[in-house]
Amino acid sequence: MQHDKILILDFGSQVTQLIARRVREAHVYCEVHPCDVSSEWVRQYAADGRLKGIILSGSHASVYEVDDKAPDAVFELGVPVLGICYGMQTMAQQLGGRVEAGQTREFGYAEVRARGHTALLRDIADFHTPEGHGMLKVWMSHGDKVVEMPPGFKLMASTDACPIAGMADETRRFYGVQFHPEVTHTVQGRAILERFVLDICGAKPDWIMRDHIEEAVAAIREQVGDEEVILGLSGGVDSSVAAALIHRAIGDQLTCVFVDHGLLRLHEGDMVMDMFAGKLHAKVIRVDASDLFLRELAGVTDPEQKRKIIGRLFVDVFKAEAEKLKAARPGSKGAQWLAQGTIYPDVIESGGAKSKKAVTIKSHHNVGGLPEQLGLKLLEPLRDLFKDEVRELGVALGLPHDMVYRHPFPGPGLGVRILGEVKKEYADLLRRADAIFIEELRSTLEPNTGKPWYDLVSQAFAVFLPVKSVGVMGDGRTYDYVVALRAVQTSDFMTADWAELPYSLLKRVSSRIINEVRGINRVTYDVSSKPPATIEWE
């Protein structure tokens, strides 16, 4: 790629990914790397001339208690630097300023006075005081503060609790803010980051998904050559977009294996086959392994055990199909590559886990260790993209909008939306109830926005409860199962609020499920937020 780029050095903040997402939303390419890279690495990274600026992330740590600091080269390259929270503090300390523990900690909403009219904050404000001072509504998360700015810096922003809430050395184009512009709670955060990336750094906004297809196709062709690729197609967004992109690049050199474990949504298997085999004319092998999965899950009630069984069986079935493909063509080497839908957050989290900078962070693992077990090379064409970019790419590749923008669906499928033991009877009931809920969300418009409720909630689904309740239908008594409806709204899935759906919509969904799905006589609505609850029930 020949795009301008921004380097983000991660000191372990839980919201570092949000910095990268905001930069990408400005159509500027960026990468996140651990803060402990060497100065030599930074200079090499900048050697191609495409590096236009550097952003230093926040951290849970204190600069006077840990050795984490920016490589010296960051301040020697001559490119603009923006320090956020801890990033501002380490910039101050490394360049001759001083940081101390604050008497008053700031966590949450704050109003910051913008001072000095620097290039970063000029004409950016949420409101003005009677005295005419520009004020910003921001999100703070810090206990330490800069008490003395380095030589050459001037005051850029302040609060009562944090007199130096922003500082700038405009000669060297170094800026620091104590608040977090990357989170949505900072109202002008996007404008501030765009000001830094586009105006101060001068990066070209040419990172656009429809243009990325050509680059990605060329990269796949160069990487794979004339060898064959096998991909586990789940029907989820990431694997679907990866399959469409790879097929665009190498056509029949790609074989997709779609393992139907009997725990998919209503008609989902047929939809996947129609899209990829029917419309894209890709080679797709559909394996109906539902009997195997349900047999192995019989009697199992523990959620983690269910997840492990489903994951293990997927690996077993996939391996068996890979061997069949090879055996069916004597003399053929078979697939040399395993394609996966790894996306950039997985890559970032792996780096964070290895560097141990974050307090709690999950590690990304290849699906079931398949590359090692199959002895295949790994092809990950989406590993530079965030989820929203993957969706944009999917639409640009011609995948249906409804498929690409579907709500997230867990890998174990309905296996973790059926509480307790998984049975075919339960899966069939849940599939139909869930389909009714989603259908009504899609067809019901919110009057103020005119948008379907499906687009206004981040995730919605039904959960099967393994309990029966007494009901009355006509003049008869019923004793049937219960389902719970779940709908949440969130920007990052780290926290979520239950969606306040209209009573009329819930009434219609409940009525339809009870009348149309024989075996269910009671519908409940989950009004728990995350935390303390999780989004999924298992």
Side-chain angles (χ1 to χ4, degrees):
M1 296 187 298
Q2 294 303 313
H3 301 280
D4 289 348
K5 59 187 179 182
I6 300 293
L7 171 62
I8 300 168
L9 292 181
D10 181 17
F11 288 85
S13 169
Q14 296 297 303
V15 292
T16 299
Q17 287 188 29
L18 294 182
I19 303 173
R21 285 182 60 187
R22 300 293 171 259
V23 173
R24 295 280 186 92
E25 286 169 3
H27 299 296
V28 174
Y29 182 73
C30 65
E31 292 182 1
V32 177
H33 290 276
C35 65
D36 54 4
V37 295
S38 66
S39 282
E40 182 182 353
W41 183 93
V42 173
R43 291 190 182 95
Q44 187 62 39
Y45 187 82
D48 60 6
R50 296 191 292 117
L51 180 64
K52 299 300 179 182
I54 299 173
I55 299 176
L56 311 177
S57 86
S59 171
H60 60 279
S62 297
V63 294
Y64 47 79
E65 292 178 345
V66 297
D67 293 330
D68 293 343
K69 63 179 184 177
D72 292 339
V74 166
F75 305 111
E76 299 167 354
L77 290 174
V79 299
V81 181
L82 172 63
I84 296 174
C85 195
Y86 181 99
M88 166 176 156
Q89 294 168 11
T90 194
M91 176 189 288
Q93 183 158 291
Q94 289 182 239
L95 297 180
R98 192 159 54 89
V99 177
E100 291 181 355
Q103 296 296 318
T104 303
R105 299 191 304 170
E106 287 185 298
F107 291 96
Y109 176 80
E111 293 180 355
V112 170
R113 176 180 167 185
R115 296 172 179 266
H117 305 291
T118 62
L120 185 66
L121 299 183
R122 185 177 296 118
D123 300 325
I124 296 178
D126 290 303
F127 66 96
H128 290 81
T129 66
E131 297 79 20
H133 302 312
M135 301 294 291
L136 295 167
K137 298 177 179 179
V138 305
W139 189 259
M140 291 279 198
S141 181
H142 69 101
D144 301 333
K145 61 183 180 181
V146 176
V147 295
E148 182 181 323
M149 291 183 290
F153 280 77
K154 65 179 180 179
L155 184 64
M156 182 169 65
S158 63
T159 69
D160 291 340
C162 186
I164 305 176
M167 62 182 194
D169 178 340
E170 299 221 90
T171 302
R172 289 184 287 180
R173 296 181 296 171
F174 293 167
Y175 300 86
V177 291
Q178 189 57 66
F179 56 87
H180 287 267
E182 69 272 31
V183 301
T184 55
H185 306 75
T186 298
V187 178
Q188 299 293 334
R190 183 170 182 168
I192 292 169
L193 286 171
E194 287 186 356
R195 173 71 58 79
F196 176 73
V197 169
L198 298 175
D199 297 343
I200 295 172
C201 295
K204 292 192 294 290
D206 59 1
W207 177 250
I208 300 168
M209 285 303 98
R210 64 176 180 271
D211 299 333
H212 179 63
I213 293 175
E214 187 177 336
E215 293 177 356
V217 163
I220 292 168
R221 287 173 178 165
E222 182 178 355
Q223 188 174 2
V224 172
D226 60 359
E227 296 178 331
E228 295 188 23
V229 179
I230 189 170
L231 177 145
L233 185 61
S234 68
V237 174
D238 299 336
S239 70
S240 296
V241 174
L245 181 60
I246 296 168
H247 183 260
R248 173 78 66 93
I250 60 174
D252 285 347
Q253 290 171 244
L254 170 69
T255 300
C256 299
V257 177
F258 173 46
V259 179
D260 185 344
H261 49 29
L263 301 170
L264 300 172
R265 290 167 285 197
L266 190 66
H267 305 313
E268 187 165 24
D270 293 339
M271 183 187 73
V272 170
M273 292 302 295
D274 178 66
M275 183 67 241
F276 286 93
K279 293 185 174 63
L280 293 183
H281 306 295
K283 290 195 296 187
V284 185
I285 298 171
R286 182 175 184 174
V287 184
D288 184 355
S290 54
D291 289 344
L292 169 64
F293 278 80
L294 291 170
R295 186 169 62 248
E296 292 289 320
L297 289 168
V300 179
T301 59
D302 179 73
E304 284 306 304
Q305 194 177 354
K306 288 194 291 186
R307 287 177 180 274
K308 288 177 181 176
I309 289 170
I310 292 169
R312 172 177 57 79
L313 290 177
F314 176 84
V315 171
D316 291 345
V317 173
F318 190 90
K319 285 172 64 178
E321 291 303 317
E323 290 300 322
K324 284 182 189 176
L325 282 171
K326 189 174 181 180
R329 296 161 61 190
S332 168
K333 294 181 180 179
Q336 300 294 299
W337 295 85
L338 172 69
Q340 292 186 168
T342 306
I343 63 175
Y344 199 41
D346 302 326
V347 178
I348 295 172
E349 286 161 3
S350 290
K354 289 173 185 174
S355 66
K356 298 182 176 62
K357 298 302 178 189
V359 177
T360 55
I361 200 160
K362 70 177 183 179
S363 179
H364 170 66
H365 300 282
N366 295 325
V367 179
L370 272 171
E372 294 83 1
Q373 294 185 38
L374 295 176
L376 301 179
K377 295 174 282 188
L378 197 56
L379 178 62
E380 297 174 314
L382 308 180
R383 64 178 284 114
D384 291 330
L385 306 183
F386 284 99
K387 191 75 165 191
D388 49 351
E389 294 174 319
V390 171
R391 295 186 193 278
E392 289 179 38
L393 185 64
V395 171
L397 285 164
L399 295 179
H401 185 277
D402 287 350
M403 171 186 276
V404 171
Y405 282 91
R406 280 189 307 172
H407 292 170
F409 188 60
L414 301 182
V416 291
R417 290 182 178 172
I418 297 170
L419 303 194
E421 183 180 8
V422 178
K423 296 182 180 180
K424 185 178 186 301
E425 171 197 0
Y426 299 167
D428 289 340
L429 290 173
L430 180 57
R431 253 189 286 273
R432 292 162 60 199
D434 184 79
I436 290 171
F437 186 28
I438 299 304
E439 181 182 319
E440 290 294 339
L441 287 171
R442 288 190 185 278
S443 62
T444 305
L445 303 182
E446 197 280 323
N448 293 322
T449 63
K451 293 182 178 180
W453 271 104
Y454 184 86
D455 294 338
L456 297 176
V457 299
S458 308
Q459 193 168 357
F461 53 91
V463 178
F464 182 87
L465 309 184
V467 295
K468 286 189 171 183
S469 72
V470 174
V472 178
M473 286 191 179
D475 295 324
R477 172 187 185 273
T478 63
Y479 188 55
D480 287 326
Y481 291 107
V482 182
V483 294
L485 306 179
R486 179 76 158 140
V488 299
Q489 293 174 311
T490 177
S491 61
D492 55 17
F493 289 88
M494 297 170 72
T495 62
D497 292 321
W498 61 276
E500 297 184 30
L501 298 178
Y503 289 154
S504 57
L505 170 58
L506 292 172
K507 182 177 181 179
R508 192 162 57 251
V509 173
S510 174
S511 177
R512 282 194 59 192
I513 290 175
I514 291 171
N515 281 289
E516 297 176 30
V517 185
R518 186 180 294 273
I520 295 174
N521 71 352
R522 193 175 296 268
V523 176
T524 67
Y525 187 56
D526 183 348
V527 292
S528 311
S529 293
K530 176 188 179 181
T534 54
I535 294 176
E536 297 284 349
W537 279 43
E538 286 193 345

